[in-house]
Amino acid sequence: MNNKIKYGVAILVSTIIVIAVYFGLGGAEPLVFEKETRPMLKVYGKPFQGEYTDPTIEKLFTEAREFAIANEDATLAIINYNTADIDSVKQFIGFISDKDYDKMYVEMKEVTFVKTKINAHNLVMPRPDKVLEEATAFAKENGLKLDELSIEVYHKESDLEVLFPCKAE
């Protein structure tokens, strides 16, 4: 067998493996959006504003994740505020709970969300800008306008719910 055929077969087999892994990890799952109104949502945690590389962001995430793991009534959550700066982030990192805690929190009452669930491994999850683009299109089709933030709710390792609060008209 000549080298061209060997390389061709190797590339074909590699491509098939990559595609199989991508599908197996949930990379081809479509984003399905729905409208949901909640009477109240409370996110407990701490604010962060700075660069993605700041170690504080990892520390806050780890603290919130460990708290959520240790408390059945808590679910890891991150509020992402839209900012113009592409090199930094503004977030509120913590957990959602119906139980009252003596901690700093962000509260939303009678809020309508556009939401989607993403069941895929982190390696193949859709990019945040793609999720926002599709959520914006869904909102527009349904006569809604998204607010300037989103909430990521981490139920399990590869089970993410993204909530986009809608502005009151």
Side-chain angles (χ1 to χ4, degrees), residues 36 38 40-46 64-65 67-69 71-79 92-101 103-108 111 113 115 149-155 160-165:
E36 176 182 275
R38 295 188 185 183
M40 184 176 67
L41 180 73
K42 224 182 234 190
V43 181
Y44 295 89
K46 295 178 183 173
R65 184 182 65 216
F67 187 90
I69 289 169
N71 294 277
E72 286 186 15
D73 64 295
T75 305
L76 180 63
I78 299 173
I79 300 175
F92 190 83
I93 303 169
F95 60 91
I96 293 174
S97 180
D98 292 329
K99 187 177 172 184
D100 287 329
Y101 286 94
K103 296 180 180 289
M104 183 184 304
Y105 62 87
V106 173
E107 182 177 63
M108 297 175 199
V111 63
F113 294 99
K115 79 172 191 176
L149 60 102
S150 64
I151 304 166
E152 298 172 359
V153 183
Y154 296 86
H155 297 286
L160 173 65
E161 182 178 33
V162 184
L163 306 171
F164 295 92

